[in-house]
Every structure is written in structure tokens, then in C-alpha cells.
Amino acid sequence: MTIRNLDAAFFARSVALVGASPKPGSLSRHVLEKLEEGGFNGPVHLINPRYPEIDGQPCFPNAAALPEPVDLAIIVTPPHTVPGIVADLGANGTRAVVIITAGFGSGPESLRQQVLDAARPHTLRVIGPNCVGLLVPPIGLNGSFAHSTPHKGDLALLSQSGAVVTTVLDWANERNIGFSAMVSLGDMADVDFGDLLDWFAADTGTRAILLYVEGITNPKKFMSAARAAARAKPVVVVKAGRHAEAAKAAASHTGALAGVDDVYDAAFRRAGLLRVFDLDELFDAAATLDRIKPFPGHDLAVLTNGGGLGVLAVDRLVDYGGSLAALSPETVEKLNGVLPATWSKGNPVDIIGDAPAKRYQAALEILLDDETTDAVLVLNCPTGLASSDEAASAVAETIKAHKPGRWPRKPVLAAWLGDAQAADVRARFQPVGVPTFTSLTAAVRGLTHVTRYSDAQQTLMETPPSLPEDFTPDTDAARAIVADALEAGQSWLRAPQIAAIFAAYGIPIAAARPAADPAAAGAIAETVIAEHGACAVKIFSPDILHKTDIGGVRLDLTSPDAVEAAAAEIIAAAREKRPEARIDGVTVEPMIHRPGARELIVGLLDDPLFGPVVLFGQGGTAVEVIRDKALMLPPLDLHLADRLMRRTRVYQLLKAFRSEPAANRAAVALTLVKISHLSADIPEIREMDINPLLADQRGVIAVDARMRIEAEPAKGRHGVNPRFAIQPYPKEWERTLTTQSGLTVLARPVRPEDEALYDAFFAKIDLADVRLRFFTPKPDLSHRFLARMTQIDYARAMAFVALDPQTGALEGVVRLHADPDHERAEYAVLVRSDLKGQGLGWSLMELIIDFARSDGLKQIHGEVLRANRSMLTMCRELGFAEIVSGDDPEVVQVRLSLE
């Protein structure tokens, strides 16, 4: 994740067009014309050794001949020339290029790799190749072969498809919707979605980001950048290729249930992105986000001159998960005073087909003041009894003149139906910031994009409950089982091995006992039946995964003789139907009788791109037919596990109904979290099914499970699964620290549930110490602020909390946040005032410095008030250099080199 030198593209002060040509109709000629049309406010130099000048403007033979280094170069030359051109540009000070040319191939010997090799010594950034170009309206840059120039605005479009860029451009210009940038990424040889998400997340001139994605090349980088961007502003994504068929057959139910697009969808959800499914929906999102800022609430009031339109709008609203506002009695009474007696007397507010402009105005004023309404959708269908144009003008004037009381101004959307008047209506509503639509579906869908973003923000900020204190997995024991199995050449674990791993992680399972022959099975059955009343017998073979497919399961056996007979039949059937399979006998398991228990499936799959993915859904033998499932990228906490469960139909069955009590949903959620931990701790586990997992009011128990393993040669960052797309909790950084004065604390990485510790922590910090840490005596200690402090992305930040070993109270915290280039990081440290002078701050600083070194950072820096003498003294003793801030002499910049 790096934004290095991207300022040379988005804040370019000078541009060179390499391959400039005077030939009419040529690609380079068109790009030159667009550069001129865009009104770039800096010099544009031309490079082409064939021409001394073009249209009276000097044309230089190469980069070295330019009168000055240029920030950005746009290259439109044959592919084989580009590596040399990039090397020359980099050597002469250019820091970014846009390569419009196509045909570079891929692989270690390709022209693409040669371009990257030429750029690397100069840290020169490459956009493209094979792209339409780069358009940055705020600086007047149109370095593309698009057909027109975009308006200035605050939407950023990042697209792998050049056709999407030009299509969106045409649509937006017609509606006066502007952009902070339109980037055609092309083949993404260097600059990719992760880089640009980091850039535009921090760009104050961008209010929302639109993505057109065909594929992600670096999932860890993408997920880290996307999660950070989605916390800052709306990010809308449309993903092409949703229905591509998987190329390999799945060996497990989990693998069969999880398609490629399902995993992409899980990744987008986990990052907090708003997914749309086609360009029309992307247009709706752009129109809404361009005019309306995110707002809390979901309750919509519909104002219409047609009752049927109102009913259809409500249908679409419910389809998209919205809700209709229940108008207050006061609002209904006010509407009675201005509307005909035949109005609808409720929401939708049908003001009748002959509604003149004044009726729209009067009703809208009342709805804008209604405290139960979060937003208003105004509809109009053309009639011969009133002017739609006058109604639009009245609505626009009402919005412009409205002065909200104690409630902030509500967002208003408009749908004036009928193509003939669409352009005129947009002209009325644009000056007052009202998005307009030509269909009910588009209007409602546009609104739900904003409400979904607000919901996603709330979800990202929710604090999960703590895990039970008795969840202390025996990771070493589970790792030893997997290591022994790999040593023995296994790829699928046997039932007793799986049971032992589940026992190590506290996952209840019906334990399977192996029997080599029918007689041994009968002997085992005596004990099992005496304890449980009945047992099940299943084929025991490393080569047969789906036991029921070959008749390899017998249930409800109540005597040892029945078990012996069943075992003999099962072994014979297996040898007949799978003669090549290795048959090791059968397993005998207790028969689990849980009347009313729901059959669930919990699974783990290893996606080739995003790594481990957790699956939850309705289980049983028909699992692949029912296909009621949801996926989520780990790591999971209890809150995320609950969200995963809620996205399935079977979740409703977990609730109480008729005479059935509710299942223990907390136990199901905890099982999902345990599977997430298991995957993080043991990366060799690549695939897993628990099907069925029985859930009832008493809890859960796994009845059958399978688990595939594979050697993991890579070492994960901070000792966790290296294939996780989202960095999991780095357990290996848990420490017991003893300070110079003898104070002992448990130091560990911060977790989201630690937010609950901060009230008591700040209660024991003096106002003077608060000011020295936050530069203000009254810092923002809201839930939103504390959630950002505790819900961190371990890929780009770290915070260690120091806890009292006996009480668990928070005694100190140190944090580090790296820049997108992951080279420099800012630190901060705070210790309870009553513990100052005991060396806790020193110990925490040593810990964070050790972490920074191990994480590959090159420098730690911070800002310290000059009055904070103890901090400055500690920094000097730790080797920090001091630099007085040029902006504020009371602030000292401290820096520690780690190279």
C-alpha cells in the first residue's frame, strides 16, 4: 500500500505528452486536443523526435531535452519503446507516467516487467498500461482519449475499464455531476485500487469513491485500503464477471456452496463497501452521493400526485430494505389543513392528480418539519390538470427557502416520470442539491445507497462483546496433530484427529471411535450404547469423504449385534462401490438425539485470492440444493459472527417458533469465532465442513466433520496465517512486562472489546496529562473516537494495552500508525497519572519500538509539547532526534531512525 509520488499525477504542475503527433485522427493527436481542452494550468511539453514543433509549439526529441523536469508524462508510443522512455523520464525527474498504449503482456520477460524495472530505481509511478488515461478536473487535466472533459466535483471514479470511464463521463456531464478525478487503471502494472483508495480516502476534495472492478491483484493491500477508505467516506463498487463458473470441482460442501463472486461479495461487505450490480445502479449511487450527504435513519416520506405511484414506491422501498415513516398526528393534522379531503390521510402522501404547484409546496413544507421523517421522496406523473414543470419549480423553491427548526434539513429526492421533461426538471433541481431520477426504482435505490452507507458505518463502529474467559484453546496440541498428519502424508484428517482438534478449541463434537472390523465395532458399541442409548456406524476411510454417497452410514443402532451387522454391511458396500479406496474399518459414534435441534453447516474454505473464508448456513444432506448460506472473511468476533448468521434464512429458524424454544444463537456465534481462531492459528487447515452442526436451546454439537490440510511453507506476519486477507490478532505479541521499579503488567495488542476499559482509564488521568497527550484538556472521548482507537487494522497500525494482571484494568497504552507506504509511523503513549514514575511508559515505548523494527518500518516520529519534559527526556534517552516545529514553536517533532 503506497501513495508515494501519486501527488505528481493528481497535483501535477507540468505535463509531457510522449508520442505527440500532428496527424488528424491519430490517438496522440486526440490526447493533445484533450489536454488543451481541459485547461491544464501548467506547462504541457511535447516529445517526439520526428517533429521539431506541432501547431507552433516546440516538440522535443526526448526527456533530457526538456527545459525542465515534468511531474507527469502521458505516453502514447509503441509498446517496445516504452521501457526506454520510462527510464529516461525517471532519470530526468519525472515521478509519474500514464501509459495509454496496450500490448505489454505479462510475466518475468514481458514488456510490462521491463517497464516496472525501468521505473523502480526512480520510484516513478505507473498508471496503466492499456488505459483511457487520467482526468483530474480540479487541475484542468484531461490526459486521455475520452470524448469530452468532466466537470469539477467531489466524486472519484476508479475503473479497470476505459469504456466505463467514458460512459460514466457522458452520463455525468449531462447531469452536471462533477469529479475530483477519473482514473482508468487499465492493466494495473503498478498503481492499483489499494494505492488509489488510500490516496482518495485522504483527499479532502473527494466525498465519495466509485469503483469498477474486474479483478483484485493484491487482496491484502486492497482490503486494508478499502477498510480505511470506507470509514472515511462512501465507497461504491460494481464488480464485473459475477457469474463466472468455478474451474475446479469442490470436494466439500463448503467449497461447492462458495462461488467466486460470493467471496468477492464477502470481501466487499467486510470492508464496508457499498456493492451495486450494474452501471445503472452505479449511476443512481453517483447521482445520490453527489447531492446528499450520509444521514442517520431509514424512514422515508413519499409525496406524490398519483396513488399508484406511491404504492409502487413503497414496494420498492421495502424490497431494498428501507422503511416508511409513520407520520405524527400533528403532521397529519397540518396536512389536513392544506390538502383536499380526498388525500390519502397517511404515508404515501397522495395529494391527488390535479395537484397544482402550491399544493406540492404546502405539503412538502410540512413533511420537511415532521420529526418522524428522515428523508422525502417527491414523485410526479404528468397529467393534463396541472403543470409538472411548475410543480418542479415549486418543490425547488420550497427546499431553497426552507429553514429547519431543531431538526436538520432532510434530504429530498425527486422522480419526475416521463422522458420528455427529464432534462428540464434536472435543471430546476440541480441548484438546490436534489438528485433527480426518471424511475421509481432508481430513486428508491439511490436513497438506499446512502442509508446502507450509514448502516455500514454504524456496524464498523459497534463494539463486540468479549469472548468467554474459559475459551483458552490448546493451540500447541492442535498443531501437533496437524503436523503428525502431514508427516504421514495425509491430506484429509480422520474423524478421531478432527475430534481431538475440536476438543483443543472447545468445539463440542460427537466423538468417533475407530474399529478395524465388525467385532471390534460391537465391543465399542456396548459402552457407547450404555451411555447414550444408541449409536451410529460410519465407514472409516481416508479416500471416502461423502460417506452417505456409498451407503456408508447407519444410524440409531441400539445393540452391539446390530452394530456388528451394520459394520459388516458398510465395509462390504464400500469395497464394492469404491474398490480402489483404502478401508480401515468403521467408526462408532454416539447417536445424538436432540429433538427440535436445527441442522446447520459451518465451514471454512481457502479462496485462491482472498484466502480463508468462513461459511454459515442451513445444513443437512440437502445443503447444496437449499443453498442457504452466507460467507465472511475472518477474523471474526462475536458481533461479526452474529451479522454473518443474520444474512441467512435459517437464522429465523434459530428463533423460537410455535412450541420450539429458541436455539442458543450465542453458542453458534461462538463456534464461528472458534473456527476463525483455528484458521488463524493453524494455516495448514485449508478446508473444513461441520455438517450438520446441531443447535438447540442447550447449545451446539458437531455430528459430522471433515478437514483438509496442506503444508504451509510461508511464515505469516506476526506469527498468524499468512493467507488471511485481513490481518488477524497478532497473538505472538502478548507479553508480561516488568518495569524498572518492579511493576508487572500484561501487555498485548488492543482488541475491539477493550473500549469498555477506557472510561475507568481516563478517570485516573489528570487534566494536565490529558492536555500533554491530546494537546487539549477536553479530547473527544465519544464511542466513535474510542472505536477508532480499539478497532485497528493490524496491517497498518498497532496499539499495545498494559493491563493489571489481577484486575484486568487498563493502566497504559502505546500506539503506532504507519503511513500508506509503510515506512514511517507516528507514535503516541499514555499512562495513568497515578502510575507515572514507575517506568511503564519506558517499557511500552521499548515494546512499540521492537514491534516497529520487526514490522519493517524505517522511522518512528511523534509530536510532543515542549511542556511535556518527561516525554522529551525519555525520547532523548531512547535515541530520538528533536526538531522544532516550524508551525508551532511549542511543539517538538521527535524522530527515531530504525535503519
Side-chain angles (χ1 to χ4, degrees):
M1 60 199 80
T2 176
I3 59 173
R4 187 182 307 165
N5 285 338
L6 289 184
D7 61 304
F10 299 108
F11 294 122
R13 295 164 298 178
S14 56
V15 174
L17 175 60
V18 185
S21 172
K23 294 179 181 178
S26 66
L27 176 60
S28 57
R29 179 68 183 182
H30 187 83
V31 174
L32 177 57
E33 290 171 353
K34 290 302 159 187
L35 280 168
E36 294 170 348
E37 178 185 300
F40 180 65
N41 53 15
V44 176
H45 299 293
L46 309 182
I47 297 177
N48 193 329
R50 296 183 179 181
Y51 306 103
E53 56 87 23
I54 296 176
D55 296 340
Q57 183 175 349
C59 190
F60 300 93
N62 50 49
L66 292 174
E68 60 181 354
V70 294
D71 288 335
L72 173 69
I74 300 166
I75 301 176
V76 193
T77 65
H80 70 276
T81 66
V82 174
I85 290 171
V86 168
D88 289 344
L89 287 165
N92 284 278
T94 298
R95 294 183 295 131
V97 298
V98 177
I99 303 176
I100 292 178
T101 313
F104 287 78
S106 61
E109 305 300 325
S110 64
L111 286 173
R112 169 189 170 124
Q113 187 59 50
Q114 292 177 37
V115 168
L116 295 177
D117 292 341
R120 187 174 296 109
H122 314 288
T123 61
L124 182 149
R125 304 310 305 276
V126 177
I127 298 174
N130 188 23
C131 68
V132 163
L134 175 67
L135 303 93
V136 189
I139 62 173
L141 176 66
N142 184 348
S144 76
F145 61 91
H147 60 295
S148 60
T149 295
H151 300 301
K152 294 179 183 178
D154 53 12
L155 299 179
L157 174 66
L158 317 177
S159 172
Q160 281 180 278
S161 166
V164 169
V165 171
T166 57
T167 302
V168 173
L169 173 57
D170 191 65
W171 172 87
N173 278 352
E174 187 179 345
R175 290 158 178 78
N176 199 32
I177 291 174
F179 292 85
S180 57
M182 303 181 84
V183 187
S184 173
L185 289 98
D187 292 342
M188 297 196 303
D190 172 26
V191 175
D192 61 11
F193 285 113
D195 300 324
L196 295 178
L197 282 167
D198 270 327
W199 176 267
F200 287 107
D203 178 34
T204 57
T206 297
R207 185 150 61 92
I209 304 170
L210 311 177
L211 307 179
Y212 171 82
V213 175
E214 293 175 354
I216 301 299
T217 54
N218 189 327
K220 293 181 183 180
K221 178 179 175 182
F222 173 82
M223 289 300 296
S224 183
R227 293 174 71 206
R231 283 178 177 264
K233 57 195 64 174
V235 182
V236 183
V237 56
V238 58
K239 166 70 174 66
R242 290 190 295 123
H243 298 297
E245 295 295 324
K248 64 177 184 177
S252 68
H253 294 301
T254 299
L257 288 171
V260 174
D261 190 68
D262 294 320
V263 179
Y264 264 102
D265 193 68
F268 295 152
R269 284 179 181 270
R270 189 73 162 82
L273 309 188
L274 305 179
R275 186 174 187 183
V276 298
F277 292 95
D278 54 38
L279 285 183
D280 287 340
E281 196 175 356
L282 185 68
F283 293 157
D284 298 341
T288 311
L289 294 171
D290 182 63
R291 309 292 184 195
I292 295 177
K293 294 182 179 180
F295 62 93
H298 300 79
D299 296 335
L300 179 70
V302 179
L303 176 61
T304 177
N305 69 337
L309 288 183
V311 174
L312 288 172
V314 173
D315 283 342
R316 298 309 284 154
L317 181 67
V318 174
D319 289 342
Y320 284 109
S323 57
L324 201 62
L327 302 180
S328 67
E330 295 80 9
T331 295
V332 173
E333 190 60 33
K334 289 178 182 178
L335 290 170
N336 282 333
V338 299
L339 297 179
T342 54
W343 83 279
S344 59
K345 301 297 192 298
N347 189 14
V349 180
D350 178 7
I351 60 177
I352 313 305
D354 65 347
K358 288 185 177 180
R359 197 180 298 169
Y360 267 101
Q361 179 179 5
L364 181 57
E365 285 178 344
I366 293 169
L367 292 176
L368 289 175
D369 287 330
D370 177 48
E371 64 184 54
T372 67
T373 299
D374 298 314
V376 181
L377 171 60
V378 186
L379 306 176
N380 180 271
C381 61
T383 75
L385 302 176
S387 168
S388 294
D389 189 64
E390 291 177 4
S393 297
V395 169
E397 287 301 318
T398 302
I399 294 168
K400 183 178 180 180
H402 181 70
K403 295 181 180 179
R406 60 196 182 104
W407 305 101
R409 174 181 158 180
K410 298 179 176 67
V412 178
L413 300 89
W416 254 237
L417 308 185
D419 291 341
Q421 60 182 339
D424 291 338
V425 168
R426 281 199 295 270
R428 300 281 191 282
F429 287 132
Q430 282 173 359
V432 293
V434 173
T436 59
F437 304 89
T438 56
S439 76
L440 295 174
T441 295
V444 173
R445 195 165 56 186
L447 175 70
T448 58
H449 292 140
V450 184
T451 58
R452 281 171 55 203
Y453 172 73
S454 297
D455 288 346
Q457 288 296 291
Q458 183 177 352
T459 299
L460 288 171
M461 294 296 174
E462 289 180 347
T463 303
S466 299
L467 292 176
E469 292 184 2
D470 60 357
F471 177 51
T472 55
D474 189 347
T475 303
D476 290 340
R479 283 176 176 160
I481 294 168
V482 172
D484 289 345
L486 288 170
E487 181 70 22
Q490 288 180 245
S491 58
W492 290 91
L493 294 185
R494 317 297 293 277
Q497 294 169 312
I498 294 173
I501 291 174
F502 280 10
Y505 275 75
I507 300 171
I509 187 171
R513 297 175 62 182
D517 53 49
I524 293 171
E526 288 189 30
T527 303
V528 175
I529 292 171
E531 185 175 349
H532 297 278
C535 66
V537 176
K538 302 177 182 179
I539 192 67
F540 190 41
S541 168
D543 303 316
I544 300 174
L545 299 179
H546 299 292
K547 304 175 184 66
T548 55
D549 292 351
I550 56 97
V553 178
R554 297 289 189 276
L555 306 176
D556 284 313
L557 304 174
T558 57
S559 71
D561 290 342
V563 169
E564 279 196 48
E569 292 172 4
I570 286 173
I571 292 171
R575 286 175 175 159
E576 177 184 351
K577 296 180 180 179
R578 293 287 303 276
E580 83 289 355
R582 292 167 290 174
I583 307 299
D584 296 332
V586 296
T587 58
V588 181
E589 304 174 15
M591 194 67 207
I592 307 299
H593 287 288
R594 304 278 281 260
R598 288 65 154 177
E599 288 192 335
L600 308 173
I601 181 172
V602 170
L604 183 74
L605 66 102
D606 195 61
D607 182 71
L609 183 65
F610 288 101
V613 182
V614 176
L615 177 142
F616 171 81
Q618 184 169 345
T621 56
V623 62
E624 293 176 32
V625 178
I626 297 171
R627 300 191 69 82
D628 174 27
K629 90 302 184 180
L631 282 71
M632 184 172 284
L633 268 61
L636 303 188
D637 55 37
L638 290 172
H639 167 68
L640 290 171
D642 182 69
R643 289 275 175 175
L644 173 63
M645 293 158 55
R646 288 175 183 271
R647 287 174 29 222
T648 61
R649 299 188 302 275
V650 76
Y651 180 81
Q652 300 303 318
L653 288 177
L654 297 178
K655 301 177 182 178
F657 61 93
R658 293 188 177 179
S659 61
E660 293 293 344
N664 188 335
R665 285 170 286 178
V668 180
L670 181 58
T671 301
L672 289 165
V673 173
K674 290 175 178 178
I675 295 300
S676 172
H677 279 259
L678 183 59
S679 178
D681 295 339
I682 309 177
E684 291 81 5
I685 297 175
R686 298 302 179 97
E687 199 169 345
M688 179 173 60
D689 275 346
I690 303 176
N691 181 34
L693 177 75
L694 297 183
D696 60 16
Q697 66 187 112
R698 291 177 288 172
V700 299
I701 185 168
V703 175
D704 198 7
R706 55 180 58 90
M707 187 180 296
R708 184 175 68 84
I709 59 174
E710 185 178 315
E712 177 54 63
K715 180 175 173 57
R717 188 176 173 209
H718 309 314
V720 294
N721 193 327
R723 298 188 316 283
F724 266 46
I726 300 172
Q727 184 74 16
Y729 176 79
K731 187 187 300 184
E732 73 167 19
W733 280 94
E734 294 179 348
R735 301 279 192 278
T736 297
L737 301 180
T738 301
T739 70
Q740 296 171 348
S741 66
L743 176 67
T744 299
V745 297
L746 169 64
R748 61 162 172 79
V750 71
R751 295 196 289 245
E753 57 266 31
D754 291 335
E755 182 182 341
L757 304 176
Y758 272 78
D759 283 344
F761 177 60
F762 278 106
K764 294 193 175 183
I765 299 177
D766 298 340
L767 287 179
D769 289 337
V770 170
R771 178 181 176 275
L772 291 176
R773 163 62 180 88
F774 294 102
F775 292 23
T776 174
K778 293 183 178 181
D780 174 20
L781 299 180
S782 65
H783 162 66
R784 184 177 183 84
F785 172 78
L786 293 178
R788 289 182 178 274
M789 296 294 101
T790 54
Q791 299 179 27
I792 65 172
D793 179 0
Y794 299 117
R796 59 176 66 195
M798 177 53 73
F800 289 107
V801 291
L803 306 175
D804 184 303
Q806 280 72 47
T807 67
L810 180 58
E811 298 185 337
V813 60
V814 64
R815 64 181 57 253
L816 199 68
H817 197 284
D819 62 16
D821 294 329
H822 208 76
E823 291 190 349
R824 302 175 70 247
E826 184 174 7
Y827 87 92
V829 63
L830 184 62
V831 173
R832 263 175 33 187
S833 298
D834 60 326
L835 297 176
K836 289 171 62 177
Q838 298 191 45
L840 180 55
W842 179 276
S843 294
L844 288 174
M845 285 297 294
E846 285 188 317
L847 179 60
I848 205 70
I849 292 170
D850 286 346
F851 172 83
R853 282 199 174 96
S854 75
D855 208 36
L857 291 165
K858 296 180 180 179
Q859 184 191 89
I860 297 175
H861 64 93
E863 292 185 341
V864 183
L865 285 176
R866 188 171 294 281
N868 196 349
R869 295 177 182 175
S870 60
M871 174 58 71
L872 289 174
T873 298
M874 181 169 65
C875 285
R876 292 187 196 106
E877 293 175 356
L878 287 168
F880 283 77
E882 296 179 14
I883 302 172
V884 177
S885 172
D887 299 326
D888 186 347
E890 294 303 312
V891 176
V892 178
Q893 301 277 349
V894 294
R895 298 176 186 173
L896 176 67
S897 174
L898 303 178
E899 292 186 288

